[in-house]
Amino acid sequence: MTENEPIISLAPLPERMRPTSLDDYVGQRHLVGPGCILRNMIESGNLSSFILWGPPGVGKTTLARIVADTLDRDFHTLSAVSAGVKDVREVIESSRHKDLFSHKGAPILFIDEIHRFNKAQQDALLGAVEDGTFVLVGATTENPSFEVITPLLSRCQVFVLKSLESSDLQALLDRALSKDRVLSSKKIDVRQTQALFRQSGGDGRKLLNILELVVDSTPPAPDGTVVIDNKAVTDCLQDSTASYDKDGEMHYDIISAFIKSIRGSDPNAAVYYLARMLDGGEDPLFIARRLCLSASEDVGLANPNALLLANACFQVVHTIGMPEARIPLAECTVYLASSPKSNASYMAVEKALAAVKENRTAAVPLYLRNAPTSLMEELGYADGYKYAHDYPGNFVDLEFLPEGLEGTVFYSPQNNRHEDVLKDYLEKCWPKYYPGKNQKG
């Protein structure tokens, strides 16, 4: 290549702009800023295993590489999507062999999407993490409390990474325009950034991908300048991002439409949005979890079987995986959308939480307390409690709420077949709180 030939790079812009030091790293100041925990760990060289938990495109992989480069450690990487127990054991043996001949610190094993490792794969890591064969650095977009086994989680610190703020996105943009050899060789005029930042959704990798796409797709002005404004970004993305993006804004839009279609009792729309997610490669367990939430929040006691079916769906999806999981997901989606709706339980707990915030120290009535010791009996614990099963109809009129909250109604049954039965019972038991057709007088 001669000096006057154009500079061409086959690597995408995010890879070309991947920082190699903490000074170039953008975002996560609460972890890598001066005096912060992860920077202190790196600068001291006293490295222990940790898990980086955060949304896509916020620098998890980059941070792991910076740690290895800064400390001059051997760096192994595995993807939980494709690696198995055999791959883990090979890395362990390789790390132990190198340790015999190297004066460097323990190698770093980086596992991307560690939440996708099953229990056997995670178990295979335990001994090597515990004896220091390597330092484990995991990256996950899912809550490690639910997805990482307890013995492994107890051996790792968890660092929470946040979506990039507008100032971080601006810094990435400025750096790309001035430092990238391809972009800096062009005349680019960024006049507006609102659409660019909104479409990136706090994802640095997505921001750079969109930037490169818009620059390549926007016709230059007569003087050769590529003008980037909100319209240029919107026009470009309408033509190029029609497919489902499970890491971006469309992920949130589609799941919102999915849940609202179920809440609105439209099984046709709900199953359509389910298909959009499945076709786009959405995690089926994510969908199953949202179905469990919808069954509780939106269907509720109007159809108590909804939560049972949603929970069964989650278990089946976890067991069989895709593509077969599409069938129980569709079954549950149609069932929830076609069920009567009630958010009475959801509203009840919200009202109760509001009451608790107003008075977190309301005393439990003495007659409702246990009396396991003679002293407690002498103090009046459990004195006056009436055992409901000793009374006709297994009910006794007794105040159960603390003083000051007597008679507060948190749960209000809604009009549907299942809650009508509950309403009839409550009207008979508590006519002063639930007046209705069963009230006398």
Side-chain angles (χ1 to χ4, degrees):
M1 178 182 294
T2 65
E3 184 176 355
N4 295 325
E5 284 184 289
I7 301 169
I8 299 176
S9 174
L10 297 178
L13 180 59
E15 192 60 35
R16 302 199 305 266
M17 295 306 300
R18 189 183 292 276
T20 57
S21 70
L22 285 181
D23 293 334
D24 293 331
Y25 186 82
V26 174
Q28 316 311 326
R29 288 179 288 274
H30 63 294
L31 296 177
V32 300
C36 294
I37 181 169
L38 193 50
R39 179 180 282 269
N40 290 344
M41 183 187 294
I42 296 169
E43 291 179 345
S44 69
N46 187 20
L47 195 65
S48 57
S49 294
F50 59 89
I51 293 174
L52 301 171
W53 171 29
V58 297
K60 298 186 290 294
T61 302
T62 297
L63 195 52
R65 291 185 180 278
I66 288 175
V67 171
D69 291 343
T70 303
L71 298 179
D72 192 25
R73 302 281 187 97
D74 290 325
F75 187 77
H76 304 281
T77 181
L78 292 176
S79 172
V81 175
S82 57
V85 174
K86 179 176 179 290
D87 300 291
V88 173
R89 288 173 178 164
E90 286 178 355
V91 172
I92 293 173
E93 290 306 312
S94 174
S95 299
R96 286 174 176 161
H97 179 73
K98 285 183 179 179
D99 191 49
L100 297 174
F101 305 98
S102 174
H103 297 291
K104 298 180 180 180
I108 293 174
L109 171 60
F110 175 70
I111 300 180
D112 196 18
E113 298 190 87
I114 193 171
H115 61 277
R116 294 184 181 271
F117 259 13
N118 60 33
K119 184 178 183 300
Q121 291 167 312
Q122 294 186 39
D123 282 337
L125 296 167
L126 283 175
V129 171
E130 192 164 23
D131 65 20
T133 297
F134 53 67
V135 173
L136 173 66
V137 178
T140 178
T141 56
E142 301 289 336
N143 189 333
S145 299
F146 302 128
E147 306 296 342
V148 178
I149 61 173
T150 301
L152 185 58
L153 192 62
S154 68
R155 291 163 172 80
C156 300
Q157 297 186 66
V158 175
F159 297 130
V160 180
L161 281 70
K162 303 174 182 177
S163 295
L164 299 184
E165 301 174 356
S166 295
S167 59
D168 299 324
L169 297 174
Q170 185 66 57
L172 280 178
L173 177 62
D174 293 341
R175 183 168 173 266
L177 293 174
S178 62
K179 300 293 185 182
D180 179 65
R181 293 189 299 169
V182 176
L183 295 186
S184 62
S185 67
K186 300 180 179 182
K187 295 175 67 175
I188 301 173
D189 182 8
V190 180
R191 297 181 181 176
Q192 295 173 315
T193 59
Q194 292 93 332
L196 190 61
F197 291 174
R198 183 178 66 251
Q199 293 291 345
S200 69
D203 181 329
R205 180 172 55 246
K206 190 172 183 182
L207 171 77
L208 296 177
N209 281 328
I210 293 174
L211 173 63
E212 187 170 42
L213 179 65
V214 175
V215 170
D216 291 342
S217 305
T218 302
D223 65 351
T225 301
V226 176
V227 176
I228 298 179
D229 55 18
N230 294 338
K231 184 178 184 304
V233 172
T234 302
D235 290 346
C236 181
L237 293 184
Q238 282 178 346
D239 293 335
S240 61
T241 58
S243 62
Y244 181 81
D245 180 3
K246 63 180 179 179
D247 295 329
E249 185 174 6
M250 190 174 291
H251 159 84
Y252 299 102
D253 291 343
I254 297 293
I255 192 64
S256 175
F258 176 64
I259 294 300
K260 288 172 181 173
S261 297
I262 292 175
R263 184 179 299 143
S265 298
D266 188 338
N268 300 301
V271 80
Y272 165 77
Y273 290 118
L274 170 65
R276 286 280 297 272
M277 289 187 285
L278 294 176
D279 179 70
E282 184 62 79
D283 181 0
L285 284 174
F286 166 75
I287 302 172
R289 281 193 291 268
R290 294 307 300 264
L291 286 171
C292 289
L293 178 60
S294 179
S296 298
E297 179 180 348
D298 296 319
V299 179
L301 291 174
N303 183 358
N305 288 326
L307 183 56
L308 300 177
L309 183 66
N311 185 59
C313 174
F314 180 88
Q315 297 300 326
V316 171
V317 169
H318 187 272
T319 301
I320 67 176
M322 287 293 289
E324 290 82 0
R326 73 190 189 283
I327 304 169
L329 285 171
E331 178 184 354
C332 187
T333 296
V334 170
Y335 186 80
L336 297 189
S338 304
S339 292
K341 305 297 187 293
S342 171
N343 69 344
S345 298
Y346 167 75
M347 295 302 297
V349 74
E350 291 300 298
K351 292 177 183 177
L353 285 170
V356 169
K357 287 180 180 179
E358 290 184 7
N359 185 2
R360 289 186 169 91
T361 59
V364 175
L366 283 176
Y367 53 83
L368 295 182
R369 303 184 192 185
N370 286 329
T373 69
S374 57
L375 176 60
M376 289 178 170
E377 289 181 358
E378 292 174 8
L379 292 174
Y381 281 45
D383 184 27
Y385 173 66
K386 299 175 181 178
Y387 188 58
H389 296 292
D390 289 341
Y391 294 82
N394 305 95
F395 171 79
V396 60
D397 189 349
L398 190 67
E399 180 58 62
F400 293 93
L401 282 168
E403 184 178 351
L405 287 173
E406 302 95 329
T408 304
V409 175
F410 296 112
Y411 170 61
S412 298
Q414 296 183 355
N415 294 322
N416 55 76
R417 182 169 61 88
H418 286 281
E419 284 188 282
D420 283 346
V421 176
L422 304 181
K423 189 187 305 182
D424 286 345
Y425 178 74
L426 292 173
E427 287 174 0
K428 293 175 183 176
C429 294
W430 305 104
K432 54 186 175 182
Y433 304 142
Y434 291 96
K437 62 184 179 181
N438 294 301
Q439 186 176 11
K440 297 178 180 180

